[in-house]
């Protein structure tokens, strides 16, 4: 066996009737693939909740692994921390969320995710035309904004992101 290869022991099953031991922040960071500094940030933002060991070290319930996975997945699809916080607030405290809890949360997000999918498709379709355009004709460019007229409609890439008319 290669001496430099590190083996990771599988977590021990929790005996019936006993709560699983809290997970130290270092173990949560290692198992979730998220830096400890990010975990502390998530805690400060109210996305996850931990406690302190008798020696003062941060520790988390084992179900925090799923919450962190959920946060990371939500961030990858562009959800804000506020949207994630609201969703996680619907999960039970004091017990590990069940499959039914997670399914309820997912149902709540169907409309939001459908909206995001439509936005991504609109971006894909619009950007394809823009990239091929080369801006040879500003008269035909859907994003051309003479005299910054679109600014009156609000911030951001209004035409590109929200499909607003010319």
């Amino acid at each position: 066996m290669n001496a430099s290869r590190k083996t990771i022991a599988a977590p021990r099953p929790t005996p019936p009737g006993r709560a699983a031991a809290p997970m130290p922040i270092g173990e949560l960071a290692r198992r979730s693939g998220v830096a400890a500094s990010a975990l502390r940030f998530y805690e400060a933002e109210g996305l996850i909740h931990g406690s302190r060991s008798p020696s003062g070290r941060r520790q988390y319930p084992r179900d925090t692994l799923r919450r962190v996975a959920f946060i990371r997945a939500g961030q990858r699809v562009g959800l804000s921390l506020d949207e994630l916080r609201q969703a996680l607030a619907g999960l039970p405290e004091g017990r590990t969320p069940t499959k039914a809890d997670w399914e309820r949360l997912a149902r709540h997000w169907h409309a939001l995710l459908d909206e995001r999918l439509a936005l991504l498709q609109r971006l894909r379709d619009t950007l394809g035309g823009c990239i091929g355009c080369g801006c040879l004709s500003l008269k035909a460019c859907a994003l051309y904004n003479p005299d910054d007229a679109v600014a009156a409609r609000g911030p951001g890439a209004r035409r590109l992101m929200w499909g607003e008319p010319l």
Side-chain angles (χ1 to χ4, degrees):
M1 182 171 172
N2 186 342
S4 65
R5 186 178 280 182
K6 197 177 193 180
T7 59
I8 299 173
R12 293 183 189 153
T14 304
R18 281 191 55 196
M23 185 181 306
I25 191 170
E27 183 180 350
L28 179 60
R30 181 181 57 77
R31 293 198 46 206
S32 67
V34 175
S37 59
L39 295 172
R40 288 189 291 274
F41 174 76
Y42 293 161
E43 187 173 2
E45 289 293 315
L47 298 168
I48 62 175
H49 305 285
S51 61
R52 297 285 181 159
S53 69
S55 63
R57 295 178 186 233
R58 281 187 166 93
Q59 56 187 15
Y60 299 90
R62 296 214 172 257
D63 69 344
T64 305
L65 270 171
R66 287 192 185 196
R67 291 175 191 257
V68 171
F70 175 79
I71 293 165
R72 299 295 292 176
Q75 287 178 315
R76 289 191 79 166
V77 298
L79 298 174
S80 70
L81 291 180
D82 198 41
E83 289 168 322
L84 293 167
R85 186 180 305 102
Q86 289 174 14
L88 290 169
L91 292 176
E93 287 294 328
R95 73 166 171 83
T96 300
T98 63
K99 183 177 183 203
D101 294 324
W102 287 106
E103 286 175 351
R104 186 177 61 253
L105 186 148
R107 276 192 310 273
H108 171 73
W109 280 31
H110 277 219
L112 175 65
L113 293 175
D114 285 344
E115 182 182 313
R116 296 285 165 109
L117 285 169
L119 170 64
L120 288 171
Q121 289 171 339
R122 190 166 49 247
L123 281 171
R124 178 198 61 206
D125 297 345
T126 305
L127 284 175
C130 271
I131 292 168
C133 168
C135 290
L136 298 177
S137 171
L138 291 180
K139 290 180 183 179
C141 180
L143 299 179
Y144 183 55
N145 184 17
D147 301 320
D148 200 20
V150 180
R153 297 185 203 162
R158 312 278 325 161
R159 292 179 177 161
L160 189 61
M161 297 291 292
W162 294 279
E164 288 191 5
L166 297 174

